[in-house]
Amino acid sequence: MSANLAAETLAAYTTSSGEAFQFWVLGTVAVVGALATILMKKAMHSALSLAGTMIVLAVFYLANGAYFLGIVQIVVYTGAIMMLFLFIVMLVGVTAADSLKETIKGQRWWAAACGLGFGVLLVAGIGQASLTEFNGLGAANSAHGGNVEGLAALIFTKYVFAFEITGALLITAAVGAMVLTHRERTDRARTQRELAEQRVREGVHLPPLPAPGVYARHNAVDVAGLLPDGTPSELTVMQTLRKRGQIRDVSSEALADLKALEQRSEERLGRDRDEEEATR
């Protein structure tokens, strides 16, 4: 009995090679995601990096047997709070220029000092923590029949008000996002007739733009249409693709095919003419 207990105790406080490999790989990913959250210039990229770090933390929880914390980490934090944050960022439209505006003088230095102080406190707390045993963990788990039951009892009894306040804050954030993204129209929306009259007055291009791929090998949106002489038309491809350089030029191929078609047509017409003269 004592030998089995000693073996279980040794297995609980030793790390296998697979666990060590998992920790170093996922730990590196988590640290890189955390650094990317701080260093990324775009808010959307920072939010995605933070979501990746949260997912890695959920994998850590699951690997250590804390299944409830792992599922909560994925469902609540990564699935709900982070997605809500992403939706708010997309709706409000935060850009890199907005994040560079410093409304409070010296806030960056204060933030750096607070972060450094928090890091010192965190390192000091971890350094003095005892990782060999956890005081009160067995009593807390046995009081309610298990770890999951104990967490549920604490959330829905002792901390029920904090839980409900957190839900109210999330709802407030969603309402605030809708308020910030709502724009009151100051002028009346123009009708199709008014837009057509404006286009006629400007005289830029009266009819609709030609479709891409006309007279080309295929009608993909990134293939410019060809004019009767075989040259590509710039109006057939949208300006976004043109500025990105994502246009496939098939004019030379189309001209080669057209030339081959003309040669075949001339040869066929010549044979038909010879056969007609021979019959006469």
Side-chain angles (χ1 to χ4, degrees):
M1 184 68 178
S2 60
N4 293 333
L5 182 60
E8 292 178 358
T9 304
L10 182 62
Y13 294 109
T14 57
T15 303
S16 63
S17 58
E19 291 177 345
F21 178 78
Q22 177 191 17
F23 173 78
W24 287 110
V25 173
L26 295 181
T28 304
V29 175
V31 172
V32 171
L35 292 177
T37 303
I38 302 173
L39 300 177
M40 284 292 180
K41 294 183 179 180
K42 293 185 178 180
M44 184 63 64
H45 296 168
S46 298
L48 292 176
S49 300
L50 183 58
T53 303
M54 288 185 174
I55 293 175
V56 173
L57 293 179
V59 175
F60 279 142
Y61 293 147
L62 296 174
N64 286 278
Y67 302 110
F68 180 80
L69 289 179
I71 298 301
V72 168
Q73 179 74 20
I74 295 176
V75 175
V76 178
Y77 288 95
T78 308
I81 297 177
M82 281 305 305
M83 293 303 105
L84 178 62
F85 181 73
L86 287 175
F87 289 152
I88 292 174
V89 170
M90 290 187 293
L91 290 174
V92 177
V94 178
T95 60
D98 296 333
S99 61
L100 294 178
K101 291 183 180 179
E102 188 172 351
T103 57
I104 303 176
K105 295 296 184 180
Q107 62 177 347
R108 298 178 184 272
W109 295 104
W110 282 107
C114 291
L116 182 60
F118 178 76
V120 172
L121 291 177
L122 185 62
V123 171
I126 294 176
Q128 305 215 347
S130 176
L131 300 180
T132 57
E133 59 182 6
F134 299 94
N135 296 327
L137 181 61
N141 290 334
S142 61
H144 299 280
N147 184 266
V148 177
E149 291 81 359
L151 287 175
L154 289 176
I155 290 176
F156 295 106
T157 56
K158 184 178 180 179
Y159 299 103
V160 63
F161 291 106
F163 187 76
E164 295 297 333
I165 290 173
T166 304
L169 289 176
L170 294 177
I171 296 175
T172 305
V175 174
M178 291 186 290
V179 171
L180 291 174
T181 54
H182 180 68
R183 296 291 184 269
E184 292 288 344
R185 181 177 289 276
T186 57
D187 53 350
R188 183 179 59 86
R190 290 177 294 178
T191 61
Q192 292 293 332
R193 182 181 180 86
E194 293 173 349
L195 292 174
E197 292 176 353
Q198 180 183 1
R199 189 166 63 244
V200 171
R201 285 194 299 268
E202 293 176 354
V204 179
H205 192 83
L206 300 183
L209 295 177
V214 179
Y215 300 120
R217 298 186 57 149
H218 46 78
N219 57 351
V221 294
D222 58 346
V223 176
L226 301 180
L227 298 174
D229 59 351
T231 58
S233 176
E234 296 183 357
L235 298 176
T236 57
V237 181
M238 59 187 306
Q239 294 297 325
T240 304
L241 296 177
R242 186 173 297 280
K243 291 181 179 180
R244 290 178 180 175
Q246 297 177 346
I247 301 176
R248 287 184 290 173
D249 186 12
V250 295
S251 57
S252 58
E253 299 178 0
L255 288 176
D257 293 342
L258 182 60
K259 185 176 181 180
L261 179 61
E262 291 176 352
Q263 291 178 355
R264 290 196 299 269
S265 299
E266 291 178 357
E267 293 175 357
R268 182 175 179 180
L269 290 175
R271 287 198 301 268
D272 294 342
R273 192 179 302 109
D274 295 338
E275 292 177 359
E276 184 179 356
E277 291 179 354
T279 54
R280 290 181 182 176

